Amino acid sequence: HHLVQALRVGRRRQPVLVDRAALPTGQSALFAGEQEPARTGKRFAGFQGLTVINEYGAVAFRADLTNCGEGVYVWDRGQLETIAETGTAFSALGRFPIIDDGGRVAFVADLIEGGSTVMSSTEGRLSVGDFESIRGVLINDRGDVVVYATPPKGTLGIYHLGARLLGVDDEL
């Protein structure tokens, strides 16, 4: 029984289906085409949110760890890279990391010192504006960053550099 998480048809690659599946052994695994980037067991206790694949086949995902932590990871050409884990700087990581075609990963993180922020694997903390809560982030290959977030005394919406693009109660 497969649960389809994302489908990306690339200009430079063959179409690749990315999915998460429950295995007969009771474990869960992530698949990118015929490849298996990760499975539950020694390191991973489970997978959260959507698995995302970029134009070149690099897969970004959020996992729960067997040691009760959380992590954001990228699997690319058979290699697993840790982008961030909870413990030192972060108390929690958002469930929906994103990866652009250059391999830059962005994700929401709750800081141990308090508050939430948007992090980039290449630039560190990104300046996105003042928000009460940040639910997720989207990036593109030009470096544009938008967040779905709630500003202080505001409403949930989509924001770019602190300016609201679309809010929950806005007419389309």
Side-chain angles (χ1 to χ4, degrees), residues 29 33 39 41 44 49 51 59 63 77 96 103-104 125 127 141 145 147 149:
R39 78 168 46 202
F44 301 120
T51 303
V59 176
R77 293 182 284 263
F96 303 101
R104 177 177 63 154
R125 191 181 293 196
S127 177
D141 294 332
V145 178
V147 294

Side-chain angles (χ1 to χ4, degrees), residues 11-133:
R11 294 183 300 269
R12 297 176 191 95
R13 296 179 41 82
Q14 295 295 319
V16 175
L17 177 67
V18 176
D19 64 11
R20 179 169 59 205
L23 303 175
T25 61
Q27 295 174 299
S28 294
L30 300 178
F31 293 94
E34 299 294 319
Q35 303 291 318
E36 184 184 307
R39 78 168 46 202
T40 56
K42 282 187 171 183
R43 184 174 187 181
F44 301 120
F47 305 105
Q48 301 295 325
L50 294 175
T51 303
V52 183
I53 188 168
N54 74 5
E55 191 74 27
Y56 300 99
V59 176
F61 62 96
R62 192 342 216 115
D64 292 332
L65 302 174
T66 55
N67 69 1
C68 298
E70 302 170 359
V72 172
Y73 305 91
V74 170
W75 177 85
D76 189 16
R77 293 182 284 263
Q79 299 297 311
L80 186 65
E81 178 184 359
T82 300
I83 302 301
E85 291 182 341
T86 55
T88 306
F90 308 119
S91 59
L93 300 172
R95 293 178 177 228
F96 303 101
I98 188 84
I99 186 169
D100 70 11
D101 289 340
R104 177 177 63 154
V105 177
F107 58 95
V108 175
D110 291 343
L111 301 170
I112 287 177
E113 64 197 39
S116 295
T117 192
V118 174
M119 297 297 296
S120 162
S121 60
T122 55
E123 293 99 22
R125 191 181 293 196
L126 298 177
S127 177
V128 295
D130 182 29
F131 296 99
E132 192 173 279
S133 72

Side-chain angles (χ1 to χ4, degrees), residues 141-170:
D141 294 332
R142 292 189 317 243
D144 299 320
V145 178
V146 297
V147 294
Y148 37 109
T150 305
K153 299 181 184 175
T155 59
L156 176 64
I158 299 171
Y159 295 83
H160 178 257
L161 298 174
R164 186 165 97 180
L165 303 176
L166 182 66
V168 170
D169 295 326
D170 292 353

